[in-house]
Amino acid sequence: MDICNHCAEDTVVTQSMSSPRPARKLETPARSCVPQNSVYFLKTAKCASTTFSQIFTAYGLKHALAFALPIRYGLLPISPKVLSPEYHGAPDGRYHMVVSHTQFNKKGTEQVMKESAKYVATIREPASRFESMWYFGNYEKVKGEVLSKAKWLNDSFDLVMVAERFDESLVLLKHLMCWNTEDVAYAKAKVRRPTYRAELSEAQKNRLRQLNRQDTILYKFFREIFEEKVKAFGEERMQREVEELRQANARLIDDCGAELTGTRGTVKMWKVTDNSNICKMLSMDGVNVQN
């Protein structure tokens, strides 16, 4: 469920969660800022995580960065022992990118990532996420969480993005990493077919929020922090940069000759005419940096 579903069990936190911690200041890059090339992305299912992963992967491929890839697929705590030391050649054992599904274990992650790495995650409104997960996996997953981890997670991550504020999240990410607008341009992945969308009433949504009350608490906690960062960034400035991003998205789709015409299971798929690695990635069902 949301972020804590991907926290390793051996992480111990004793802090209370009575109120959100003040938002970590998101610095506005100066003209001489240096682009950051190392990021740990906590990929959370059904939180627009595939599209976010594609953005990070595209940047990594463009700049020939080293990806930390677990030997076995599965939700494992990231650490040196679950990685293949030969792949992508990281002689110092430190990698630029973690963008696959992993559990977050701070000690193990710090042994894998470059010391300069930024830590980024994403959340999604619980009722919307539940409805999406239901069709994606055809099951209801109930799992207890340690709610007091929220403040600790806020200290550990530089940015927790919000799926419902996708473009605004990418603008904040761009400035956190000192990247260009083209570096965060995207074509939305795994767009569900209309047949697999349920129109939920407000009463049904409220009931789902009650059933997922732990997710709801976490979502409100990080959503409040996110809104503080947007406010500090400036509303007019945010609107201007969101529009710049949408124009970059249109250029990406046009340059790749991309059309949302294919289907696979419950989702629509992009078909592209350009054979570049970045464009081909748009047509994939997920992200595969090994090809």
Side-chain angles (χ1 to χ4, degrees), residues 33-46:
C33 74
V34 178
Q36 302 298 301
N37 66 356
S38 184
V39 62
Y40 172 87
F41 175 52
L42 184 62
K43 188 177 181 184
T44 309
K46 312 315 296 177

Side-chain angles (χ1 to χ4, degrees), residues 240-254:
R240 183 173 65 253
E241 297 208 19
V242 164
E243 180 56 33
E244 291 175 0
L245 172 60
R246 291 172 179 170
Q247 292 175 6
N249 293 343
R251 289 194 297 272
L252 173 65
I253 292 172
D254 184 63

Side-chain angles (χ1 to χ4, degrees), residues 4-112:
C4 274
N5 190 41
H6 294 256
C7 299
E9 297 297 331
D10 61 352
T11 302
V12 179
V13 183
T14 58
Q15 294 174 315
S16 64
M17 189 185 153
S18 57
S19 60
R21 189 181 185 87
R24 181 181 297 185
K25 184 178 180 182
L26 192 73
E27 296 182 357
T28 301
R31 291 186 178 181
S32 59
C33 74
V34 178
Q36 302 298 301
N37 66 356
S38 184
V39 62
Y40 172 87
F41 175 52
L42 184 62
K43 188 177 181 184
T44 309
K46 312 315 296 177
C47 291
S49 59
T50 299
T51 306
F52 281 125
S53 291
Q54 287 184 340
I55 292 169
F56 289 125
T57 302
Y59 187 89
L61 292 174
K62 187 189 304 181
H63 296 278
L65 303 181
F67 291 82
L69 301 172
I71 299 173
R72 293 188 293 115
Y73 178 82
L75 198 57
L76 300 172
I78 195 74
S79 68
K81 66 181 180 181
V82 303
L83 302 177
S84 173
E86 298 85 9
Y87 189 73
H88 271 294
D92 61 353
R94 302 281 183 149
Y95 294 80
H96 298 101
M97 293 272 180
V98 171
V99 298
S100 57
H101 282 295
T102 60
Q103 284 186 334
F104 177 63
N105 176 280
K106 188 171 184 178
K107 182 177 180 181
T109 303
E110 289 177 344
Q111 293 174 341
V112 168

